[in-house]
Amino acid sequence: MTSQPASASPAIPDLPGVRPAVQAVPAYPFTPIDAPIKLDQNESAYDFPAELKALAADRMVGQLWNRYPDLHAEGLRARVAAFEDWDEAGVVITPGSNVLIKILTELGGIGQTVLTVRPTFSVYTLEAQLLGANLVEVPLNTDFSLPVEGLKAALRANPPGVLYITQPHAPTGFLDAEAAVREVVEAADGWVVVLDEAYHQYSGTDYRDLVRAGENRLSLRTFSKAWGLAGVRLGYALSSPRLAAHLRKLVSAFNVGVLAQVALEVALEHPGYVAERAAEVRRERERVYAALQGHPVWTALPSQANFYLLRTPDADAAYRHLRSCGIVVRRQDKLPMLGGCLRVAVGSPAENDAFIEAARAFR
Ligand SMILES: *Cc1c(COP(=O)(O)O)cnc(C)c1O
């Protein structure tokens, strides 16, 4: 395959009957690329442990595949609630947290406002545009920290809706001071406040207490990153029972299949590997970061997630060089504030060695 275009998806010709908002939005900006070293999707470098996979497979055989699963994954909900020490009535599980982002946009965005920062996680803005919400993006501060005053002004200036805060932030990996996050969240009375904590295992942060303190608040979590289960597709929300009950109305019935449920049951019974791997990612992240410190032209930006931004003078040349070394990363250089930037996931130690060697060979 040839080099990946920055983020452009080919335009799809208009089709009568399709809502203009849908016609106007490009397809999700991702091109799958085959490479020996895949650092472009912030996935875990490791598969679900083989012995747990075997356990899950055994249990799958014991399921009835002809019967519908629980209406709203009730069995799984109880297990997630126990794992997170959360009221079961406040847990909502869907096939990936991206589904929850769509549903949150339906719940609070349509005909209302979706407020986020810029740059931000593309799914928030994509869903807002597809569903025709009033999308408001406040630029990050130049150091990538939360624009607290700008967000508070936007909260006052716009009719309420959904506010997204990502901690650590994506795609920068920046982690804000808790006081800054708290200040914005507390200013968002009358809004649905989403704290997307997709990467919290890597930063060691946890906003459950702040979320518990307001009925309009929600922590968005996923099994796709630190749990190494991106292929199984499961994510969840922790919120008040009231917010969860409204959200659940928007979740399609029987949304989580029995096979995914069984895989997650096994993971939740053996969660020890998650912390071990997150610790390895943190060590490796610092090792790669230190190794790149001496690079003549590339700068790795500090991150608290399992990925980091690499600022280069020429993102296209940097991207193509890495590809020629068998490494695929994600271009982010067309995003505001991210000129020249590539986003690189932290891989296994061997993958990181290969990445460091490729980076050093670039002149
Ligand atoms: C990866 C990611 C998610 C997870 O999405 P899933 O649909 O659960 O795989 C959520 N939010 C952010 C910011 C992410 O980067």
Side-chain angles (χ1 to χ4, degrees), residues 28 41-43 94-101 120-124 166-171 196-199 220-225 229-231 233-236 306-307 343:
Y28 187 70
Q41 285 188 280
N42 301 349
E43 297 149 317
T94 58
S97 52
N98 283 356
V99 170
L100 276 161
I101 295 168
T120 192
F121 183 46
S122 60
V123 178
Y124 312 149
T166 320
Q167 288 295 309
H169 183 259
D196 188 338
E197 299 192 89
Y199 300 100
L220 194 58
R221 297 181 175 214
T222 181
F223 291 100
S224 298
K225 307 285 159 63
L229 291 169
R233 304 306 297 130
L234 285 167
Y236 57 106
N306 66 338
F307 62 87
R343 193 192 69 202

